[in-house]
Amino acid sequence: MPARSVRKTPDSKRSGGLGPPLDGRPDYLGENGVDAFRVFFEKSPEAIALTRLCDDVILAVNQEWTKLTGYAREEVLGRTAVEIGQWPDEAMRLEALQGIKTQGRVSDVDVTLIMAGRSPRLVRINAVLVDVAAGPCVLIYLRDVTAERLALEALRSSELALEQLNEKLNRQAKLHELTETVAKVGYWVHYPGADEVHLSAGYCEIAGIDGLAAAPLGEHLQGVVSEDQEVIRGALRRMDGAQVEYRWRRPDGSIIWIRSRVHRQIENGVVKADFGIVQDISVERRSVQAVADQLSATQLSEARFKALTGLSSDWYWEQDAQFRFVRVDGNLDNVNALPSPAYVGKTRWDSGVHGVSPEAWAAHRAAVEAHEVFHDFEMQRMRQDGTLIWVSISGMPIFDDNGVFTGYRGTGRDISERKRAEADIARLAFYDALTGLPNRRLLMDRLAQAMEYSSRHMCHGALLFIDLDNFKELNDTLGHQTGDELLKQVAERLTQCVRGTDTVARLGGDEFVVMLEDIGEIQTDAATQAENLGKKVLVALNQDFLLAGNRHHSSPSIGITLFYQHTHTLDELLKRADLAMYQSKNAGRNTLRFYDPEMQAAASTRAALDADMRLGLERDEFELYYQPVVDVAGSMTGVEALLRWRHPERGMVSPGDFIPVAEQTGFILQLGEWVLRVACAQLVTWSASTATRGLSIAVNVSARQFRHTDFALKLLALLLKTGANPYRLKVELTESLLLSDVDDAIAKMTELRSIGVGFSLDDFGTGYSSLSYLKRLPLDQLKIDQSFVRDVLTDPNDAAIARTILSLAQSLDLGVVAEGVESEGQRDFLLGSGCKSFQGYLFGRPVPVGELKITAAKHPPGHPP
C-alpha cells in the first residue's frame, strides 16, 4: 500500500498527541482538570482513542491503544480508522457506532478490527460523545476480547465433567479454566485547599458507594481494611505512581482487592493536584489464590489432586532451583500432550520449544530467571507421538521459609483448538465462507498491490465483474441450498479459467470479480487479453450445472474495465466494472461489455437525480395530483393519487424519469410513505364536508415498498395517527408482486383489509396474471390497463381482452375500473360489456386538489361513510 500523509492539527501537536484541551469539562475537574485528564488518559489501563465527530479523524490515542493495535501514534494521528485499515469499510464502522448519533454513546459492541500487520482481533467497543475545544468528539474505548471469546468456546467441552465435582473441587479447578476478566477502573482527584475529594463514577461503582460525586478529604479511603491501611498511607506519602494493592471493605460488608497508583501533579514546584487511579482486581487475586491453594501440598492431598487432574485436560509440573523438570502429572490417556519422560531432568529451554520468536523466548526466560510469576505463556511442544501442539503454561516461584528460591510449580494446557479457531477467524476475515474464494476485503488489498505493480512496471491490469443471470429465480424456486451449490460450482469453474497469478473473488450473492495482473504495456493488447478471458468465462459458465441430480443452465453477464497505474481509486475501478456489467444486462444478458464513459455519465445523472429527489422531499417540491374515478352516471366516487415533482430548475419532472431511479436507489420507500401520509391527510380534510366525505383515494404502492417487513404496521399506525377512514383508502398494487412470496402479500393484505383498506390490482393483464394467485389474493378491484382501452374500438384483440377481464372480475366478485378512457365510444363499449367505473381524460385530467371539480359523490355500496 502506498504511504499515506498524516493530517495533524495544531492542537494535537501542542498537547503531545493527546489532542486539544477539553471544553465543557465537569466541575469536579477544576481549572487543572484538563491536565489531570491527560494523565488519566495516558495511564489508563484501557485502550482509548479520541476522534473528531465531524470527520472521524483521530486526534489522540493513549499508550494502551498503541499496544493493543500495534500502530505507532505518529501513524494514526490525523487519519481515520478506515484510512489506516483498522475498519474493513465505512459501512461497518457506521453501523457499530450508530449509537453515537442517536444516544451520544455506544456500549459493549463487539466487532472484528484489523490491527497492524493485518492481524484481525475481536474487540469490545465503548464510546461516548464529548465536547472539546475542536468541537464534538468521540472518546472510544477498545478492549481485546478475542481470547476471552475463544477461551469460553474451548472450555465448553470440559464443563460437563467439572459439574460432577463438589464445590470445593470446582474452586480448585478454576486454575485450569482459561478466563479473562476485564478490570473496572475509576479515579479520585484532590486539589490543594479543597475540603473534598472528587470521585469518578467508576470509583464509586468499585467502592460500592454509588450516588456520590465527592467525599470529605480522607473519607474516600476509609474502606481500606485496617491491615492494609499502611500500604495506602505509604503510597500517599511517596506519591510516586508506584503500584500498590490492598483490600477494600464495601458498605455491604464484602471485601474486594484493589490495585492503585497514586500521583502528585507538580508544575514549576507548585502542587496542582493529587489523584489516584484504582482497578478492581478481585478476580485476578482469587485466581492467584486458587493457584496457591491448588498447588499447596498442605491443603491438597495427592489423591484429591490426582482425581482433579484425571478429569482435566491440564497438567501439573514442577522444576527445581536449576529450572530442571522434576515432576509432570496429568491425564495421560486423554491428553497425550505431556512432555516426554525423557524431559525430566532437563530445563524447558533444553526440552524442545517451538513456535516462539527469539525475542519472546528471551523475555520469558529472563522473567523465569528473575523468579517472577508468569501466566499463559504460549508455545509449541512436541507430543510423545512426534506431532506438535500449542500449549499455554503458567507458573509461580517456590520459596522456602527463609525466602530462598527452590524452584517453580505450575500448570500447562493444550490450546491447539483455540489456535485453530484463531486461524479460522483470520481466514473468515479475508475469505468467503461458502466458496473459499477471497472476499471483498482481500480483493481490495490485492487490487491495491496490483495497482502498485502496474505503476512500477508500466503495465495494465483488468477487472471482470461477473453477475449470474436469473440467479434470484433459481433461489426462489429451488431453494437457497441449491443456489449455494451453484455458486460453489461457479467458483470452481472461474478458478480453472484463470492463471495462478490472477485473483478470483466473491463479493457476495451471485457477484464475482476476476482480477488480471500484468496483461501488457499496450492498452489494446491488454483489452484483447481481458476480452479473451471473458469469452472463456462465458463458455465455461454456459455449460450445464448438475444441481441435486438435475441439470441446470446458467449464464453470466460480464463487465470489464482496464486499470493502469493509479489513474483511478479502488472503489472507482469496481464501480466501472459494475457499470459495464449492467450494460451487459441491458444488452440481453449472457454477454460481456467494456466500460464506456457514457455509462458513467448516465450513472452520474441518476445519482444527481437521486440527490435532487431527496432534497426535493425536504423542500416540499413534491405534490399529489388527483384524477377522478366516476360511476356509470358520471358521478365522482373517488380519485387516484398521482405523484408529481416540480423541480425549481428542471420544472415538472416526468414520473417516468424519477420513479425508476427512486426504485433503483430505494428512495421509493420514503416517497411512498410521503404519498400515503398526504393522501390520508386529504381524506381527513374531505371527511369534514358532506360533499366529499364519500370519496375514496387510490394510492399506487410499489412492490418494493409493499414487501417491506413493516409496511402493514406503518400503514396501520398512519391511519391511527391521522384519523383517516380506512374504508376510503385503496392500495393499488402491480402484478409484479405475484412473482415472489405470495403468502406474505396475502397476510399483509388480509391484515389491512380487516380494518377496511381496499386493494386494487393495477394495469391488470400487462404482467404476470396467474389465475391461481388471483383467486387467493384478497382483492376488491381490477384496473384494466389503458393499453387495452386505447384501441378497444379498433382492435378486436383488445376488445376481447377487455371483455374477458370484465367477465373474470364478475365471476370473482371483483369491481373493475377502466383506465385511459378518452372518448364516449370507449365508455359506451366498456359500459355495454359490464364495466361500471371509469377513469381517463374524458372525465378529468390529473390536477392539484385545489383544481379538482367535485361532482356528486356517492358512498360505495357496503361501506360506511
Side-chain angles (χ1 to χ4, degrees):
M1 297 286 288
R4 303 291 297 272
S5 61
V6 177
R7 302 191 298 269
K8 291 188 176 180
T9 64
D11 285 333
S12 65
K13 293 178 181 178
R14 176 168 52 81
S15 59
L18 186 55
L22 295 180
D23 285 337
R25 57 185 180 268
D27 292 339
Y28 61 76
L29 287 178
E31 64 177 344
N32 300 309
V34 172
D35 294 328
F37 174 78
R38 290 199 186 96
V39 179
F40 301 155
F41 182 94
E42 184 62 28
K43 293 183 177 293
S44 173
E46 296 276 5
I48 309 176
L50 184 70
T51 67
R52 267 200 308 261
L53 179 64
C54 63
D55 56 8
D56 305 315
V57 168
I58 300 173
L59 300 181
V61 295
N62 68 355
Q63 184 176 358
E64 192 64 28
W65 189 95
T66 62
K67 288 171 59 181
L68 172 62
T69 64
Y71 287 106
R73 188 175 271 137
E74 59 271 14
E75 290 182 284
V76 301
L77 293 184
R79 303 174 68 186
T80 70
V82 174
E83 287 177 340
I84 67 174
Q86 192 174 54
W87 288 90
D89 53 57
E90 179 67 11
M92 179 178 175
R93 188 193 70 80
L94 290 174
E95 181 179 357
L97 297 177
Q98 62 181 342
I100 289 295
K101 296 292 182 63
T102 59
Q103 302 174 355
R105 64 188 308 110
V106 170
S107 301
D108 295 335
V109 174
D110 291 355
V111 296
T112 299
L113 298 184
I114 308 302
M115 305 305 175
R118 310 300 296 172
S119 172
R121 304 295 292 178
L122 183 66
V123 301
R124 183 163 297 152
I125 295 179
N126 286 273
V128 65
L129 187 65
V130 297
D131 286 329
V132 298
C137 291
V138 182
L139 204 59
I140 303 175
Y141 298 78
L142 300 183
R143 181 178 304 157
D144 188 347
V145 296
T146 305
E148 178 183 355
R149 178 71 59 82
L150 294 173
L152 291 174
E153 293 295 330
L155 290 174
R156 288 176 181 171
S157 60
S158 63
E159 289 178 353
L160 291 177
L162 292 176
E163 287 177 358
Q164 300 173 11
L165 298 177
N166 58 40
E167 184 178 353
K168 182 174 182 179
L169 284 179
N170 270 329
R171 289 196 300 268
Q172 295 167 338
K174 291 296 182 182
L175 172 65
H176 305 288
E177 297 176 357
L178 180 61
T179 58
E180 294 184 4
T181 302
V182 180
K184 297 179 179 178
V185 177
Y187 61 87
W188 57 264
V189 183
H190 175 252
Y191 299 105
D195 296 329
E196 291 184 328
V197 176
H198 300 281
L199 312 175
S200 73
Y203 183 95
C204 294
E205 182 177 353
I206 292 171
I209 51 175
D210 292 345
L212 291 181
L217 181 61
E219 290 188 12
H220 68 294
L221 297 175
Q222 282 188 350
V224 179
V225 300
S226 57
E227 295 85 351
D228 296 344
Q229 287 184 359
E230 186 54 38
V231 174
I232 193 62
R233 290 195 191 103
L236 291 172
R237 287 193 296 269
R238 295 189 304 272
M239 285 290 181
D240 57 0
Q243 179 175 292
V244 295
E245 297 180 1
Y246 53 86
R247 289 165 293 174
W248 178 276
R249 189 185 305 277
R250 288 177 164 174
D252 62 4
S254 61
I255 293 178
I256 61 172
W257 275 94
I258 288 180
R259 179 178 292 143
S260 179
R261 295 179 185 271
V262 182
H263 299 262
R264 172 163 288 161
Q265 181 185 2
I266 300 177
E267 294 182 4
N268 300 323
V270 178
V271 175
K272 295 294 185 179
D274 293 341
F275 56 89
I277 301 172
V278 300
Q279 183 180 25
D280 184 349
I281 60 168
S282 302
V283 174
E284 179 182 334
R285 292 292 300 215
R286 284 196 297 270
S287 298
V288 172
Q289 185 60 43
V291 172
D293 293 344
Q294 190 93 1
L295 302 179
S296 174
T298 60
Q299 297 178 6
L300 185 64
S301 68
E302 185 70 15
R304 292 177 67 81
F305 177 78
K306 289 289 187 181
L308 180 61
T309 56
L311 290 171
S312 172
S313 61
D314 297 359
W315 58 89
Y316 168 80
W317 54 268
E318 288 186 7
Q319 292 176 331
D320 60 16
Q322 284 72 46
F323 310 109
R324 295 173 299 207
F325 287 104
V326 295
R327 177 180 178 181
V328 178
D329 286 311
N331 193 329
L332 292 172
D333 293 333
N334 294 338
V335 180
N336 190 29
L338 298 174
S340 167
Y343 292 159
V344 175
K346 295 182 179 180
T347 64
R348 177 170 286 111
W349 29 91
D350 295 330
S351 59
V353 176
H354 308 271
V356 183
S357 68
E359 296 79 11
W361 182 244
H364 173 65
R365 181 167 181 169
V368 171
E369 291 177 341
H371 307 157
E372 297 177 358
V373 175
F374 62 89
H375 298 285
D376 303 323
F377 181 73
E378 298 179 359
M379 62 183 184
Q380 284 183 301
R381 297 302 302 264
M382 186 172 291
R383 294 177 185 261
Q384 297 177 19
D385 60 7
T387 59
L388 291 174
I389 64 166
W390 277 98
V391 300
S392 173
I393 58 172
S394 300
M396 59 185 302
I398 309 170
F399 300 94
D400 62 16
D401 294 340
N402 297 318
V404 177
F405 173 73
T406 61
Y408 264 93
R409 59 166 62 102
T411 61
R413 162 165 291 180
D414 182 352
I415 60 170
S416 301
E417 286 295 330
R418 197 197 82 194
K419 285 292 187 180
R420 280 191 285 270
E422 289 177 347
D424 287 342
I425 289 177
R427 179 178 58 81
L428 291 174
F430 295 100
Y431 290 89
D432 176 51
L434 177 65
T435 63
L437 296 176
N439 60 15
R440 178 186 288 270
R441 185 181 303 165
L442 185 53
L443 171 67
M444 300 300 275
D445 184 69
R446 290 186 180 178
L447 182 55
Q449 296 177 30
M451 293 175 68
E452 282 290 329
Y453 183 90
S454 171
S455 182
R456 290 195 305 269
H457 298 277
M458 308 294 288
C459 60
H460 287 83
L463 283 184
L464 283 73
F465 199 111
I466 303 165
D467 184 271
L468 301 184
D469 298 331
N470 303 314
F471 178 75
K472 184 178 185 299
E473 284 71 10
L474 171 71
N475 257 351
D476 291 342
T477 55
L478 300 182
H480 291 283
Q481 185 174 358
T482 303
D484 288 348
E485 180 59 31
L486 174 62
L487 293 174
K488 288 191 285 187
Q489 293 187 32
V490 168
E492 292 174 2
R493 294 188 187 183
L494 289 176
T495 304
Q496 293 167 2
C497 289
V498 301
R499 305 169 298 178
T501 56
D502 300 326
T503 295
V504 179
R506 180 184 176 220
L507 297 188
D510 61 335
E511 295 179 340
F512 296 84
V513 170
V514 174
M515 184 185 73
L516 306 180
E517 295 187 62
D518 194 9
I519 55 174
E521 298 179 4
I522 301 174
Q523 185 178 24
T524 54
D525 293 343
T528 300
Q529 287 196 51
E531 183 178 18
N532 289 339
L533 178 67
K535 292 178 178 178
K536 185 177 180 181
V537 170
L538 282 172
V539 172
L541 298 188
N542 268 276
Q543 304 301 313
D544 286 350
F545 294 87
L546 189 62
L547 305 175
N550 298 312
R551 290 191 175 277
H552 174 79
H553 179 76
S554 181
S555 64
S557 293
I558 304 174
I560 305 175
T561 187
L562 301 180
F563 62 86
Y564 183 72
Q565 298 184 346
H566 291 286
T567 311
H568 304 288
T569 65
L570 304 183
D571 289 335
E572 178 65 22
L573 284 176
L574 270 182
K575 181 180 177 182
R576 289 184 166 213
D578 187 30
L579 286 171
M581 182 274 295
Y582 275 106
Q583 192 69 13
S584 296
K585 295 279 189 186
N586 295 335
R589 306 173 187 257
N590 196 22
T591 186
L592 61 85
R593 287 289 186 272
F594 277 84
Y595 170 76
D596 184 347
E598 291 183 3
M599 292 189 303
Q600 179 62 49
S604 298
T605 300
R606 288 195 301 270
L609 190 61
D610 178 58
D612 279 357
M613 277 193 297
R614 297 176 188 275
L615 190 60
L617 190 59
E618 295 178 5
R619 295 179 174 177
D620 293 327
E621 295 171 6
F622 289 94
E623 58 182 315
L624 288 187
Y625 276 38
Y626 298 93
Q627 185 172 29
V629 176
V630 302
D631 59 14
V632 294
S635 299
M636 188 187 304
T637 60
V639 295
E640 180 180 359
L642 300 169
L643 183 61
R644 295 293 183 264
W645 180 17
R646 192 181 302 277
H647 192 278
E649 297 174 1
R650 303 171 189 257
M652 290 297 288
V653 183
S654 169
D657 292 336
F658 71 84
I659 292 296
V661 175
E663 289 274 10
Q664 293 172 9
T665 62
F667 186 60
I668 194 69
L669 298 177
Q670 293 166 260
L671 272 183
E673 290 179 2
W674 181 88
V675 170
L676 285 170
R677 187 163 60 250
V678 174
C680 286
Q682 188 60 54
L683 284 174
V684 173
T685 301
W686 281 347
S687 67
S689 170
T690 56
T692 54
R693 68 178 53 167
L695 294 177
S696 63
I697 296 181
V699 176
N700 286 282
V701 173
S702 72
R704 184 167 185 172
Q705 182 182 4
F706 185 77
R707 290 194 186 109
H708 202 275
T709 54
D710 58 357
F711 172 77
L713 289 176
K714 283 188 175 181
L715 183 51
L716 289 170
L718 178 62
L719 289 167
L720 182 63
K721 180 179 180 180
T722 60
N725 186 347
Y727 286 95
R728 298 289 172 260
L729 179 65
K730 282 190 175 69
V731 174
E732 292 193 359
L733 304 173
T734 62
E735 293 178 77
S736 61
L737 73 85
L738 299 177
L739 291 175
S740 64
D741 208 350
V742 176
D743 291 334
D744 178 66
I746 292 173
K748 290 176 180 174
M749 293 171 69
T750 302
E751 182 178 7
L752 291 170
R753 201 164 183 261
S754 67
I755 65 165
V757 176
F759 286 90
S760 178
L761 197 57
D762 197 17
D763 300 336
F764 183 72
T766 62
Y768 183 80
S769 303
S770 169
L771 297 183
S772 62
Y773 288 152
L774 188 60
K775 69 179 183 179
R776 293 178 57 198
L777 292 171
L779 291 167
D780 298 280
Q781 188 181 76
L782 302 179
K783 298 192 78 170
I784 305 177
D785 186 65
Q786 59 183 342
S787 63
F788 301 127
V789 174
R790 183 183 305 114
D791 298 324
V792 74
L793 299 178
T794 58
D795 188 332
N797 292 325
D798 285 348
I801 291 173
R803 290 193 189 97
T804 302
I805 294 174
L806 288 164
S807 177
L808 174 64
Q810 184 177 7
S811 64
L812 295 176
D813 194 23
L814 297 175
V816 176
V817 174
E819 294 184 298
V821 179
E822 299 180 356
S823 70
E824 291 288 351
Q826 292 170 342
R827 174 192 174 279
D828 292 342
F829 172 85
L830 293 166
L831 180 61
S833 300
C835 186
K836 299 179 180 178
S837 295
F838 310 91
Q839 179 181 346
Y841 287 176
L842 180 62
F843 311 103
R845 294 176 176 268
V847 293
V849 68
E851 301 177 21
L852 188 65
K853 295 180 180 179
I854 308 296
T855 60
K858 299 179 179 179
H859 301 312
H863 292 316

